[in-house]
Amino acid sequence: MVDWSGGNQGAAKPQADAIWACIARCGVVEDAVYLRNRQLAEAWLMDVIRAERAAGRRVLLGFDFPFGYPAGFGAALTGSDDPFALWDWFEARVEDEPRANNRFDLAGEINQRFGGKGPFWGNALKRDIAGLPRTKVGYNSPFAARREAEARATGAFTLWQMSGVGSVGGQAMMGLPVLARLRRHFAPDVSVWPFEPLDAPIALVEVWPSLTVGPAAEGWIKDQWQVHDLARQFAALAPARLAQMLDVPANPEGWIFGLGHEAELRGDATPLRNDCFALPPGVNWTPVDDALADLQARLTPVVAIETLPVAQALDRVLAADVRAARSNPPLPNTAVDGYGFAGGRSAGPHRLPLVAAQAAAGLRLDMAVPAGSAVRILTGAALPEGVDTVILQEDVEVLDGAVQFNGPIKAGANTRKAGEDVMTGDVVAARGRRLTAADLAILSAVGVPDVKTYAPLRVGVLSTGDELVEAGQAAAAGQIFDANRPMLMGLIRKLGHVPVDLGQVADDRTALRGRLDMAAGQADVILTSGGASAGDEDHVSALLNEAGAMALWRIAIKPGRPLALGMWNGTPVFGLPGNPVAAMVCTLVFGAPALAQMAGADWAEPQGFDLPAAFEKRKKPGRREYLRARVRDGRVEVFASEGSGRISGLAWADGLVELPDGALHVRPGDPVRYIPWGGFGL
């Protein structure tokens, strides 16, 4: 990614409003490079392209100036609509030295061809230039003020402006000749977007950092930050998604990459549609598998993307694949303490003179070990030149400056090859993975300093009902203590999300509306329990219906059945049953994978296995059933009562037995599917 400049040579010390470039290679963003003038920048670009092509890599170069002009200008100036004819026209006429160029004079000459009052304006020199006004006073352009791309990109400047803040005209005039030379030098291996199909190994693409890059991070120069963050945005895109964004109609004016995809490139949260959960007419009872498939198809991440140092990324969900910045191990090394030499040795006694050096972990020994000699080498040390085999120190005798041992020993023994664990550029952690401590180890080992992750999913938990009081408060005869909210908040935390306590609200529609309004500003997702069916006091369902974003999913499941799904002020709402057993089962079966996907993680299939039953059970067809269960002596027991009011069964159990939709008669010893709590991600 290149931030261009139309001005004269910058200072030796890195500064703003100069040329900055940044490379993302194999998914790793490197340090931005300061280039003080266009001559140095062009030579640097030539070298980069040659090196990348020599390494067999494709190259995409993004430049932050327009590749074309408003319709009609090229044809009026060159006699051709071909945008490359305009590139060549500028290249033939632009005079460019580090401390001076003729961009203002050339703009004046062009204006005089069209009456002397436009299209260019903005003379920044102390001397007057015929045909180039200093301001737009009396300005009259025969061409449109902006390309279609600028008209759609809020805040984009006009190409006709040659001086002042946003002087894109000068950047383009001084940049197009460079592009013309790059295109000619590397022909036929260059394609220019969107003028040509991107079927060549080198692609030139127009970008505008301000479209998607936010304010500079502390300590960064703005241009330096922009190329760095833009390179990160490109590198984070899956190849297929990058191809989709580049798939735009050919346009002789050129186009700005990312138009229409700003939120995705920035990493903003993508809101779900208000009708996200709408069911087609006539849907009645939905099988569990169909409901899960529907949720998986409808849900997308609802949290923003941010970059974190690897050491701070534990339990975060990756928003992009992470590739190794270098191989692990980076060099061939020894797995043991011993003595290194070249080649294997046959059976029988051997004696090798020792060189006067020792190879230890850290810097590689800066000397070659002569053939027929050996070197003392310690565990983890890079193999010096001339060493490919190591013998354990316990298997040798050191005598008179030499090692003695009995063979045989194979060539390569007790050594590790460079990259035998991970090679540079390998994907070491895939998008959607929740990072573990082990992931942090491998990411650090391959030189990854930071990763692009999703922000933690904030899950609001709200209990509804007049009958509820907090544990420890005085409860009337008809009231119950709220068991759902502590349970659900614990589940949310164990699933890796951030629980947000939304408290309790009585069966009062106005109060509930106010609480939901508050919740939508505090949480990314809202879980409610109670009031999710279709009765007179089911206010959650009623309010979601009023908002026009409610679907009552009647799912063929026991315990459970009604699951109210909807949107409130753009925030998804999961209305769970009020019964604690049903609320927990629905959270594990439907909530766990749905929340994972909204958090940016992969859809989480519960991990279970078949074990012999220690119970008998007759089941009717029509519903998927989940029984509270635990494993003892390799067999699965189920809780004595299936009553969904028996909360003690949840604490008794270690998991659930899942019984299929059809009729079933389970006898002791029959295999049943058992899903431990850990299989749901707890």
Side-chain angles (χ1 to χ4, degrees), residues 220-452:
W220 290 67
I221 295 170
K222 178 183 176 182
D223 304 323
Q224 175 192 24
W225 170 256
Q226 287 192 330
V227 292
H228 172 89
D229 203 48
L230 197 60
R232 178 193 62 79
Q233 291 175 4
F234 270 72
L237 291 171
R241 187 63 183 130
L242 176 61
Q244 289 172 346
M245 289 188 182
L246 289 167
D247 186 15
V248 301
N251 188 330
E253 289 188 337
W255 198 249
I256 300 171
F257 177 84
L259 274 179
H261 307 286
E262 292 89 342
E264 181 177 350
L265 289 167
R266 283 193 301 262
D268 294 349
T270 304
L272 301 177
R273 300 187 320 274
N274 216 41
D275 62 350
C276 172
F277 300 114
L279 293 172
V283 169
N284 194 0
W285 291 104
T286 304
V288 170
D289 290 339
D290 291 354
L292 291 171
D294 276 347
L295 285 174
Q296 186 175 6
R298 296 168 190 235
L299 297 175
T300 57
V302 298
V303 286
I305 296 173
E306 55 192 22
T307 300
L308 286 178
V310 165
Q312 298 175 22
L314 182 66
D315 286 335
R316 286 296 192 96
V317 176
L318 284 177
D321 290 351
V322 182
R323 297 179 180 273
R326 75 170 187 174
S327 298
N328 184 49
L331 294 170
N333 64 79
T334 175
V336 298
D337 290 340
Y339 297 86
F341 45 86
R345 292 295 186 273
S346 60
H350 299 276
R351 186 177 187 279
L352 302 176
L354 279 171
V355 299
Q358 176 177 279
L363 294 178
R364 188 182 191 187
L365 183 63
D366 188 20
M367 66 169 288
V369 177
S373 296
V375 64
R376 174 66 168 153
I377 191 165
L378 304 181
T379 302
L383 300 184
E385 185 180 345
V387 172
D388 62 13
T389 304
V390 175
I391 188 169
L392 275 73
Q393 63 183 16
E394 295 88 349
D395 295 338
V396 306
E397 181 181 7
V398 179
L399 188 65
D400 297 330
V403 291
Q404 299 178 167
F405 60 90
N406 287 314
I409 184 171
K410 292 182 179 179
N414 301 311
T415 63
R416 309 181 184 105
K417 297 178 181 178
E420 71 175 27
D421 182 23
V422 177
M423 294 292 292
T424 300
D426 285 353
V427 174
V428 288
R431 181 208 168 281
R433 179 175 177 82
R434 188 176 293 278
L435 292 174
T436 65
D439 292 319
L440 304 191
I442 185 60
L443 291 174
S444 300
V446 296
V448 175
D450 47 47
V451 287
K452 189 176 181 181

Side-chain angles (χ1 to χ4, degrees), residues 97-336:
E97 298 294 334
R99 297 188 180 278
N101 64 72
N102 68 336
R103 68 185 188 277
F104 295 112
D105 294 291
L106 187 56
E109 292 176 18
I110 294 171
N111 281 1
Q112 288 184 305
R113 296 186 178 213
F114 301 112
K117 295 184 178 181
F120 293 102
W121 61 272
N123 175 14
L125 301 182
K126 294 180 179 179
R127 59 181 172 85
D128 290 335
I129 295 176
L132 183 63
R134 293 189 180 277
T135 68
K136 292 184 72 174
V137 175
Y139 171 79
N140 183 25
S141 173
F143 307 105
R146 286 174 169 78
R147 302 180 300 164
E148 182 186 352
E150 275 102 36
R152 289 185 53 179
T154 303
F157 291 90
T158 173
L159 261 161
W160 308 125
Q161 181 180 344
M162 294 296 296
S163 66
V165 177
S167 53
V168 178
Q171 286 183 314
M173 195 176 289
M174 306 310 294
L176 292 179
V178 175
L179 296 190
R181 288 190 288 273
L182 291 176
R183 181 171 179 264
R184 184 169 59 249
H185 182 86
F186 291 102
D189 292 338
V190 180
S191 295
V192 180
W193 180 87
F195 306 144
E196 302 172 311
L198 291 181
D199 52 8
I202 303 168
L204 306 182
V205 175
E206 177 185 337
V207 299
W208 183 41
S210 295
L211 186 71
T212 59
V213 176
E218 184 176 354
W220 290 67
I221 295 170
K222 178 183 176 182
D223 304 323
Q224 175 192 24
W225 170 256
Q226 287 192 330
V227 292
H228 172 89
D229 203 48
L230 197 60
R232 178 193 62 79
Q233 291 175 4
F234 270 72
L237 291 171
R241 187 63 183 130
L242 176 61
Q244 289 172 346
M245 289 188 182
L246 289 167
D247 186 15
V248 301
N251 188 330
E253 289 188 337
W255 198 249
I256 300 171
F257 177 84
L259 274 179
H261 307 286
E262 292 89 342
E264 181 177 350
L265 289 167
R266 283 193 301 262
D268 294 349
T270 304
L272 301 177
R273 300 187 320 274
N274 216 41
D275 62 350
C276 172
F277 300 114
L279 293 172
V283 169
N284 194 0
W285 291 104
T286 304
V288 170
D289 290 339
D290 291 354
L292 291 171
D294 276 347
L295 285 174
Q296 186 175 6
R298 296 168 190 235
L299 297 175
T300 57
V302 298
V303 286
I305 296 173
E306 55 192 22
T307 300
L308 286 178
V310 165
Q312 298 175 22
L314 182 66
D315 286 335
R316 286 296 192 96
V317 176
L318 284 177
D321 290 351
V322 182
R323 297 179 180 273
R326 75 170 187 174
S327 298
N328 184 49
L331 294 170
N333 64 79
T334 175
V336 298

Side-chain angles (χ1 to χ4, degrees), residues 446-675:
V446 296
V448 175
D450 47 47
V451 287
K452 189 176 181 181
T453 71
Y454 289 102
L457 184 74
R458 300 166 301 165
V459 184
V461 181
L462 175 65
S463 293
T464 69
D466 289 339
E467 73 279 12
L468 297 178
V469 295
E470 295 279 1
Q473 293 180 343
Q479 292 183 308
I480 59 174
F481 296 117
D482 183 5
N484 281 358
R485 205 165 86 258
M487 174 187 72
L488 293 174
M489 291 184 65
L491 290 176
I492 297 308
R493 187 174 288 107
K494 291 288 285 183
L495 290 170
H497 313 301
V498 177
V500 179
D501 190 352
L502 301 176
Q504 299 170 350
V505 66
D507 289 323
D508 179 293
R509 203 159 295 186
T510 301
L512 179 57
R513 182 183 288 107
R515 192 68 60 88
L516 289 174
D517 286 343
M518 178 196 72
Q522 296 181 348
D524 303 305
V525 187
I526 301 170
L527 296 189
T528 69
S529 60
S533 191
D536 293 341
E537 296 298 325
D538 291 317
H539 299 293
V540 173
S541 301
L543 284 177
L544 292 175
N545 270 320
E546 285 181 18
M550 158 68 181
L552 188 64
W553 288 25
R554 294 179 174 87
I555 302 170
I557 184 174
K558 179 183 178 182
R561 290 197 290 188
L563 190 64
L565 300 171
M567 303 290 293
W568 188 266
N569 293 343
T571 302
V573 178
F574 280 63
L576 300 168
N579 182 287
V581 176
M584 182 166 178
V585 169
C586 285
T587 299
L588 295 178
V589 175
F590 302 108
L595 294 173
Q597 189 149 307
M598 286 188 284
D602 295 330
W603 182 264
E605 297 282 353
Q607 300 299 305
F609 44 90
D610 289 345
L611 288 175
F615 62 93
E616 183 172 5
K617 160 79 175 176
R618 291 183 182 271
K619 176 189 171 298
K620 295 179 181 179
R623 287 198 289 176
R624 180 84 48 92
E625 293 192 17
Y626 291 89
L627 310 178
R628 286 152 281 178
R630 66 185 186 185
V631 176
R632 294 294 184 269
D633 299 324
R635 294 160 66 87
V636 184
E637 304 173 352
V638 296
F639 192 56
S641 170
E642 293 182 20
S644 55
R646 298 285 295 272
I647 305 175
S648 61
L650 294 174
W652 173 91
D654 296 328
L656 299 175
V657 161
E658 180 185 56
L659 300 180
D661 300 350
L664 187 68
H665 182 191
V666 178
R667 297 176 178 84
D670 289 348
V672 292
R673 178 172 169 77
Y674 171 72
I675 308 172

